[in-house]
């Protein structure tokens, strides 16, 4: 199952945040989503989720609008940067509510809590969670319904080195299982180790959509290749 963007465009007043993106994010590999601050990555992901309406064009998951699915969490799991979890709710109750809304069995909540390493703290109110624990809870939510597509906005944000390494392994494993994994990050060295394929945007426009090996070309690091692509001065 793929994520496809068809001439996807979003305008906020005078700002063209996303400018005619045509793209297919394919299964079986980790696709990194890169671009400078304000390039339009989060806006694109919000439109894929149906949280923001395109000015024109379409964003589809498995050939359909994400919000047209009866149980969307079973099609795609997502983590957005500012994950809204009620601070007075425990992590476990948050996941239980998500599970029930998509007819996912309760026992799956404890399974994903174990996968993300939150079993011991899941009965604490989420307001007491560290940034890294919040990220892990968001990832647990994305994995909850065992979806074929995962879309994660800056998942390593706030994670310690063990957490960063864990995410890398998790994303690689999910792609190896044949899932579609679409992940944004500003950490280029981490992306170099994690992604098979890269999509790079700047000012809302597609700058590259190519395998990591092709993007790296003769460059020693992804950072060098990225600066050449985006024109950002090193
Ligand atoms: N709700 C909004 N109203 C007005 N402008 C917005 C809104 N959301 C985003 N923008 C603008 O759209 C552009 C793209 O922003 P977006 O957050 O998608 O970029 P990004 O690539 O995710 O950036 P970052 O790397 O900083 O997260 C920016 O110019 C931003 O200021």
């Amino acid at each position: 199952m793929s994520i496809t963007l068809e001439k996807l465009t979003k305008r906020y007043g005078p700002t063209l945040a996303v400018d005619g993106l045509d793209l297919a994010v394919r299964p079986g590999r980790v696709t990194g989503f890169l671009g400078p601050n304000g390039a339009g990555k989060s806006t694109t992901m919000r439109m894929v989720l149906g949280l923001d309406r395109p000015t024109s064009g379409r964003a589809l998951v498995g050939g359909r609008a994400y919000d047209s699915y009866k149980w969307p969490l079973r099609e795609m799991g997502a983590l957005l940067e500012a994950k809204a979890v009620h601070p007075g709710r425990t992590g476990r109750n948050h996941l239980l509510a998500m599970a029930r809304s998509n007819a996912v069995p309760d026992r799956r909540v404890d399974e994903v809590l174990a996968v993300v390493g939150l079993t011991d703290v899941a009965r604490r109110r989420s307001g007491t969670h560290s940034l890294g624990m919040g990220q892990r809870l968001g990832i647990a939510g994305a994995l909850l319904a065992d979806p074929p597509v995962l879309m994660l906005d800056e998942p390593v944000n706030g994670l310690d080195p063990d957490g960063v390494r864990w995410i890398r392994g998790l994303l690689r494993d999910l792609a190896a299982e044949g899932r579609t994994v679409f992940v944004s990050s500003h950490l280029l060295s981490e992306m170099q180790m994690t992604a098979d394929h890269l999509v790079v945007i700047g000012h809302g426009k597609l700058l590259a959509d190519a395998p990591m090996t092709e993007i790296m070309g003769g460059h020693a690091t992804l950072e060098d290749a990225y600066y050449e692509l985006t024109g950002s001065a090193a």
Side-chain angles (χ1 to χ4, degrees):
M1 190 181 259
S2 299
I3 299 170
T4 48
L5 312 183
E6 298 174 0
K7 297 191 170 47
L8 186 69
T9 300
K10 180 69 184 183
R11 184 182 281 283
Y12 293 109
T15 307
L16 202 46
V18 176
D19 188 1
L21 288 185
D22 274 307
L23 183 68
V25 184
R26 305 267 184 215
R29 62 195 191 195
V30 176
T31 299
F33 192 25
L34 306 180
N37 288 134
K41 302 178 299 297
S42 300
T43 302
T44 299
M45 287 180 159
R46 281 203 309 274
M47 288 192 284
V48 172
L49 274 168
L51 297 177
D52 229 337
R53 187 169 293 278
T55 305
S56 60
R58 298 198 298 173
L60 305 173
V61 179
R64 283 174 54 180
Y66 183 65
D67 58 11
S68 75
Y69 286 103
K70 183 175 181 194
W71 289 313
L73 295 181
R74 296 180 178 198
E75 312 299 332
M76 180 177 76
L79 168 73
L80 288 196
E81 224 176 329
K83 187 76 196 171
V85 177
H86 190 285
R89 214 175 220 193
T90 68
R92 193 164 180 281
N93 282 342
H94 168 73
L95 293 176
L96 277 172
M98 276 179 82
R100 287 171 188 169
S101 71
N102 275 252
V104 172
D106 286 359
R107 63 171 161 71
R108 181 69 189 148
V109 168
D110 293 314
E111 281 173 25
V112 291
L113 284 169
V115 168
V116 304
L118 284 184
T119 302
D120 293 342
V121 294
R123 289 169 199 273
R124 279 205 244 149
R125 283 180 295 119
S126 66
T128 67
H129 286 174
S130 67
L131 183 55
M133 284 157 65
Q135 289 293 83
R136 286 176 186 257
L137 183 61
I139 291 162
L143 296 172
L144 191 60
D146 200 19
V149 183
L150 278 307
M151 182 174 74
L152 311 171
D153 196 4
E154 308 252 9
V156 300
N157 191 15
L159 292 182
D160 63 17
D162 278 348
V164 172
R165 185 199 281 259
W166 168 75
I167 282 273
R168 188 190 312 144
L170 177 71
L171 298 183
R172 305 260 358 121
D173 288 350
L174 291 165
E177 289 166 11
R179 295 178 215 253
T180 301
V181 181
F182 190 40
V183 53
S184 77
S185 178
H186 288 296
L187 302 177
L188 297 176
S189 54
E190 182 53 35
M191 203 55 113
Q192 191 179 337
M193 289 191 275
T194 309
D196 307 293
H197 193 95
L198 290 176
V199 169
V200 186
I201 65 172
H203 300 293
K205 281 198 169 68
L206 195 65
L207 299 177
D209 172 14
M212 176 71 78
T213 47
E214 196 177 302
I215 294 209
M216 290 290 291
H219 296 284
T221 64
L222 177 58
E223 187 175 85
D224 292 344
Y226 174 86
Y227 282 132
E228 188 173 295
L229 271 171
T230 60
S232 312

